[in-house]
Amino acid sequence: MSKKEMEEQIIANYQRDEQMMILIFAQWCINHDLNPAEIYQLAYPNQEPNIALQLALDLTVTKDEAGEIPDDTVLGVLSLFGNEELACFVTEEIAKRPQRER
């Protein structure tokens, strides 16, 4: 594998993993009756609508069809990709839940 091919593979893997992170965030929001686009906009008010988030929303299912996504999982993947602002808003939403639901 050439250096260029390796770089392309690394970029493709990162983009695939980033898309998975966005899907996890979006599905977690759906599972908790939250609007992913609204939370994203709160975290990043100066950014244009996120195309990757819009694509991920097409892949989400209803919360009745979805498996549980633990809070730690969504926070972990957001942190892994440097989405600290978004993780702060997710943490705020978690804190709003009644104690028994956390």
Side-chain angles (χ1 to χ4, degrees):
M1 181 180 284
S2 73
K3 182 178 177 184
K4 182 169 176 58
E5 290 171 329
M6 188 182 321
E7 289 172 355
E8 289 173 354
Q9 183 68 33
I10 290 169
I11 290 169
N13 288 344
Y14 180 86
Q15 291 172 334
R16 184 191 69 236
D17 293 347
E18 183 180 43
Q19 189 61 38
M20 182 58 68
M21 176 269 302
I22 295 167
L23 180 57
I24 289 168
F25 163 73
Q27 189 63 60
W28 179 88
C29 288
I30 300 297
N31 290 358
H32 293 282
D33 299 316
L34 301 169
N35 182 322
E38 286 178 10
I39 293 176
Y40 185 88
Q41 189 64 39
L42 288 171
Y44 305 107
N46 297 324
Q47 285 189 8
E48 296 291 319
N50 186 312
I51 301 299
L53 178 58
Q54 293 172 359
L55 293 172
L57 288 172
D58 292 339
L59 300 174
T60 61
V61 295
T62 66
K63 69 180 185 177
D64 294 332
E65 296 174 290
E68 180 183 345
I69 299 173
D71 298 338
D72 289 343
T73 298
V74 73
L75 291 171
V77 296
L78 291 174
S79 179
L80 183 66
F81 282 87
N83 287 300
E84 303 303 329
E85 295 88 354
L86 193 53
C88 287
F89 280 91
V90 167
T91 300
E92 288 178 13
E93 292 299 331
I94 292 167
K96 290 178 186 178
R97 285 191 230 142
Q99 186 68 30
R100 68 183 178 280
E101 293 180 23
R102 288 190 217 160

